Amino acid sequence: MDRLRMLLERLPEGYSEVSYRGRRYAMTRRTFNRGRSLKVFARELGGNDVVSLNGYLTARGWQLKPCEMSEHKVLDFLVHCKTG
């Protein structure tokens, strides 16, 4: 899925602050295994919401593995979060 690859690649490595649906989040992206896997964790600043996912690059492209939440929530965050 090229769209998923583009959504993941636009997230900066390391710590950053992003906005998502009018709220600010502290987000960390870490890349592992020479770029073949990644972890994203975002926590709402001043709130209780979190977004957490692992991503794995397979022969079929990037595969998402949300952590204790729906894939819909993770995809919505990736589509609507704004960096910078």
Side-chain angles (χ1 to χ4, degrees):
M1 174 188 250
D2 285 341
R3 183 171 186 230
L4 179 56
R5 178 183 55 82
M6 290 180 357
L7 291 171
L8 292 171
E9 286 179 355
R10 73 184 183 95
L11 300 177
E13 185 73 19
Y15 175 85
S16 60
E17 291 186 9
V18 300
S19 62
Y20 169 63
R21 299 207 177 269
R23 298 179 287 181
R24 300 289 299 162
Y25 285 72
M27 183 184 74
T28 304
R29 175 200 164 152
R30 295 283 182 233
T31 303
F32 304 96
N33 301 317
R34 294 184 215 159
R36 298 189 58 82
S37 64
L38 60 82
K39 178 168 185 60
V40 176
F41 182 80
R43 179 176 301 278
E44 182 184 8
L45 297 171
N48 297 320
D49 193 32
V50 297
V51 177
S52 182
L53 69 103
N54 293 307
Y56 302 96
L57 183 58
T58 68
R60 295 177 36 194
W62 280 99
Q63 303 296 311
L64 285 183
K65 298 293 181 183
C67 302
E68 300 184 20
M69 63 193 56
S70 72
E71 188 170 312
H72 173 77
K73 178 177 181 175
V74 168
L75 287 172
D76 190 68
F77 180 82
L78 292 175
V79 169
H80 293 101
C81 77
K82 295 185 180 21
T83 60

